[in-house]
Structures are given as structure tokens and as C-alpha cells.
Amino acid sequence: MAKVKILDHPLIDHKMAIIRNKNTDTKSFRENVNEIAGLMAFEITRDLSTKEMEVETPITKTICKVLSKDVIVVPILRAGLGMVDGIQMIIPTLKVGHIGMYRDEETLEPHEYYAKFPKEIVDGTVLVVDPMLATGGSASAAITAVKKRGAKDIRFVGLVGCPEGIARLEKDHPDIDIYLAAMDEKLNEIGYIVPGLGDCGDRLFGTK
Ligand code: PRP
Ligand code: URA
């Protein structure tokens, strides 16, 4: 069964308050989304395996630990892009794949319109990222897409989730761990998370 981890940290809570505020402007919204994603990366990668490597310091040779597997972030376009820079700041060797999904506004069904992944997804740790886990349709379809390309070690990383989205991921992908910055109450009648933060893609890219 999937592990659901809600990150509980004062800095994340503080920044979540900023991005939930409807008066936050696009620049500040984008910066805080990235910063929250970066803070989350620390916890999400806690159990990654390492290998020993010899390093020469200015004083002597020593054995250090470095990541032993590739880490690949796969943002679900568009809104997932808002989390990439923050994670890349923390994981310098990160590789990036892309998957484009949009939700039909009437049916709320996801539609894939673009996919490009590095070959390392087969043996690496794949972080599928999207700030919003609403019905869970987009996240579920994106995870199915990376599994089809051979990915085995996959985690979902979002900012705001709700019970409906978690139930959908647990049903479709019980093998995937879910990491969220906050767990909200419910979906409204038009598929938005309540209280949520509104349309994340529009707020990131200033398109509303
Ligand atoms: C939003 C959001 C997620 C999806 C979540 O994307 O960024 O991808 O909805 O909803 P779901 O869990 O019900 O599938 P949207 O379709 O608005 O596209 P955008 O990111 O391009 O704005
Ligand atoms: N997508 C968003 O951007 N916001 C929501 O609340 C739900 C889906």
C-alpha cells in the first residue's frame, strides 16, 4: 500500500500561506512554489541509496558518500514546471523528463499531449511532480506513462492534495509513495481543491 506523507514543517506551512493567499502576485507565487518544492526534496530523498567515492580534500584523501542512482524529475505540464528549479537546486545531478497533461474542463478527464523522458527513468528514482492532486486523474495517467517506459522506482510529489486524489492514486498505483505539503478538505463541484490555492498553472504563468 502507498505511503502518504504530509510534510510537516514550519517553513513549508509559512510558504503555503503565501501561495494560498489570492493577493500574492505571480513572481512571489512562483518563487514560493519553487522554495516549497526544494524544502520537500530533502524529505523525499531521505532514503536514497549512496555509494562510497574517494575525494581529495586540500588536506588528504578521504572516502565520501554520493548518490548511487540517478534521480529524474518529471513535471506534469504546465503547473509541475513550477517545482523543477527548486528541486534542481537541491539535487544538482537531477535529470528532467516532461509530460504534458490537461484536464478537460467538463469531464475533468486528463489528456496527454506531450511526453519525453531520459533513458535513466528505467533504473533511476523518478519524482513525478504536480502542485495539485485534485481528482488524481492527471497524476495517475502520468505515473502510468512513466511505468510504460520502464520506470520502477516512482514517487509522486505535490503541494496540495485532497482525499479524492489520494484515493485515486492509492487505487491505481498502490506501489507509489505520495508526498504532499498539505492535505486539504475536499473537491468542489467544478473539481477545484477546497480551500486550495485556485488554478495553479494560471497563477504560476500569469495567464489569468
Ligand atoms: C491542473 C493541475 C494538475 C491537474 C490536477 O492542471 O496542474 O495537473 O489540474 O487535477 P486532477 O488531479 O483532477 O487531474 P490543468 O489541467 O489545469 O493544466 P495546466 O497545468 O496546464 O494549467
Ligand atoms: N488544478 C488546479 O490548478 N487547482 C485545483 O484546485 C484543481 C486542479
Side-chain angles (χ1 to χ4, degrees), residues 47-52 65-71 93 123-125:
D47 63 345
L48 293 187
S49 54
T50 55
K51 64 181 180 195
E52 294 191 338
K65 287 180 185 173
V66 295
L67 294 177
S68 61
K69 272 171 72 171
D70 287 306
V71 184
T93 57
D123 296 316
T125 298

Side-chain angles (χ1 to χ4, degrees), residues 77-79 101-103 130 132-138 199 201:
L77 310 182
R78 290 177 298 168
M101 291 272 172
Y102 72 90
R103 264 196 338 174
D130 190 327
M132 310 307 284
L133 180 65
T135 65
S138 305
D199 189 309

